[in-house]
Amino acid sequence: MNYPLEFQQQIFETLEKLASGGRFPHALIFEGPAGSGKKTAARYAASLLLCRENGVKPCGQCRSCKKQLENHPDFTVIEPKNKSKTISVDQIRDIKLSAYVAPHEADRKVYFIPDAHQLRVEAQNALLKLIEEPPEAARFILTVPSRSNLLETVISRSTVIPMRQLEQQQRLEVLKSLSDKKYADQLQQLSQDCLTVGEALAALSDPDAMKLSKDADELLKSVISGKRYDALILLCRYEKDREQYIKLFNTMRGQVISALCRRDSKLSALRANKIIDIIDKTVFSATQNAALSLLSAASANRLIAAALSALK
Ligand SMILES: [Zn+2]
């Protein structure tokens, strides 16, 4: 069987087992850093649920499978609609109305929230009520960089599937197999700087992604060396765009994990975990519409305190 991402094969196999055993959870959350394949896995899960064939799913042949997911009447994507780039409680209330209506074509209705860390707290609570007493045919699929982006009550009612993390050498091998030979020189460095294959591929083709990765690296260096002013100047450039601001922190999160995996001597495991915790709280506050300039000041202080603390 050829899966959309070979290096995440185990996850696809798990999904197939869940679907064929009729045990597919009402709420499924894929957790992993940008570029780890969460959205690909989520879309695969949706096609498994919508396939109308009784045998091997997704069959690729039935009416459901032949349709693009986007055009499928039983597939709904929930994304931010407002300027603040968050998902509002009204958007979840709208789903509630439709979730109790029988599916149009398939046996299930799939609601996909690709950036669930953008859910406002009130929206998460509304979603929680839906998951607690789920409409028979509805299935909810979410993706997040980290489970700490969501309320614990939502997590405890859902099945969380962490995406497989590759070692640097494995990332390099996958990158070599996926990218053009002309990039061979850059792959070694990218496999070290980027935590995921997807992020490295994005950086290869997109100057903005490369810049984000460089800025996140610079921010992390400022934090580790206690340069508060440098960190604030950098953050200030991102405060105009909340989405990019959140991306910057999530990219830095990936780099901290990457440094941890490399056993980078500048960052002990305890310090790294403390920093990840502060990053998660910052992303959460940024999503909940906190004033970014105040958030930058508070987070820079906390990050530096964590990086320079006496923790070993
Ligand atoms: Zn099918």
Side-chain angles (χ1 to χ4, degrees):
M1 176 83 195
N2 279 334
Y3 295 110
L5 297 172
E6 272 181 40
F7 63 95
Q8 293 288 8
Q9 181 173 352
Q10 265 177 334
I11 285 178
F12 292 103
E13 285 171 1
T14 306
L15 290 173
E16 280 176 0
K17 271 184 209 144
L18 287 173
S20 64
R23 292 174 290 121
F24 209 94
H26 280 279
L28 187 64
I29 300 174
F30 293 98
E31 176 196 41
S36 54
K38 305 183 291 290
K39 287 173 192 168
T40 307
R43 298 173 72 83
Y44 190 81
S47 15
L48 280 172
L49 287 166
L50 295 172
C51 174
R52 306 189 65 194
E53 180 60 46
N54 287 324
V56 178
K57 295 174 190 236
C59 70
Q61 302 296 322
C62 72
R63 233 170 85 191
S64 251
C65 285
K66 278 190 172 159
K67 246 181 206 145
Q68 293 273 331
L69 271 182
E70 269 61 32
N71 301 329
H72 200 294
D74 296 314
F75 181 72
T76 308
V77 182
I78 299 127
E79 286 174 314
K81 280 185 186 158
N82 50 18
K83 253 167 90 188
S84 66
K85 303 276 181 192
T86 54
I87 300 168
S88 69
V89 67
D90 288 339
Q91 286 178 265
I92 302 299
R93 286 192 186 127
D94 286 348
I95 308 181
K96 196 173 171 185
L97 294 176
S98 85
Y100 285 94
V101 179
H104 297 274
E105 280 185 15
D107 296 329
R108 304 261 181 247
K109 278 187 157 182
V110 179
Y111 294 90
F112 176 33
I113 310 181
D115 292 297
H117 57 282
Q118 291 169 320
L119 282 162
R120 302 293 296 272
V121 165
E122 314 86 77
Q124 289 193 42
N125 279 318
L127 181 67
L128 178 65
K129 284 194 194 123
L130 263 174
I131 300 173
E132 278 174 338
E133 289 173 42
E136 183 56 33
R139 294 293 182 274
F140 301 91
I141 302 177
L142 285 65
T143 73
V144 281
S146 153
R147 67 187 73 194
S148 58
N149 300 136
L150 295 171
L151 297 175
E152 258 173 48
T153 43
V154 173
I155 294 292
S156 68
R157 293 281 175 170
S158 311
T159 300
V160 182
I161 300 188
M163 300 305 290
R164 181 180 165 223
Q165 305 263 355
L166 304 186
E167 302 279 337
Q168 186 202 337
Q169 197 53 39
Q170 293 171 313
R171 277 200 294 276
L172 183 59
E173 293 307 317
V174 176
L175 281 171
K176 278 183 185 163
S177 72
L178 291 178
S179 49
D180 197 290
K181 278 203 179 95
K182 67 181 177 191
Y183 295 123
D185 294 345
Q186 297 170 56
L187 294 184
Q188 176 71 30
Q189 189 62 39
L190 279 172
S191 69
Q192 186 171 323
D193 291 347
C194 302
L195 184 63
T196 60
V197 170
E199 198 190 337
L201 289 175
L204 264 186
S205 59
D206 176 5
D208 287 347
M210 189 69 102
K211 185 170 181 316
L212 194 73
S213 174
K214 275 194 182 136
D215 283 348
D217 182 52
E218 202 183 312
L219 179 58
L220 184 59
K221 282 186 184 137
S222 304
V223 163
I224 292 175
S225 51
K227 292 181 179 155
R228 181 172 183 275
Y229 183 72
D230 290 356
L232 287 178
I233 294 282
L234 196 152
L235 284 171
C236 186
R237 297 209 309 265
Y238 280 81
E239 285 163 11
K240 283 189 210 83
D241 185 338
R242 195 171 288 269
E243 198 180 5
Q244 285 298 107
Y245 187 88
I246 291 171
K247 269 191 190 162
L248 177 72
F249 274 95
N250 277 329
T251 305
M252 181 163 86
R253 186 183 201 278
Q255 290 174 352
V256 176
I257 297 174
S258 187
L260 197 58
C261 297
R262 291 200 306 273
R263 299 180 205 284
D264 190 323
S265 57
K266 286 191 216 88
L267 217 53
S268 70
L270 265 172
R271 281 194 190 120
N273 282 319
K274 188 98 185 54
I275 288 175
I276 290 170
D277 189 44
I278 297 166
I279 292 174
D280 286 344
K281 285 186 176 129
T282 305
V283 167
F284 188 80
S285 301
T287 311
Q288 304 305 317
N289 255 356
L292 294 187
S293 55
L294 296 178
L295 187 60
S296 295
S299 296
N301 285 347
R302 284 193 203 118
L303 286 167
I304 290 171
L308 301 182
S309 64
L311 297 171
K312 282 280 178 281

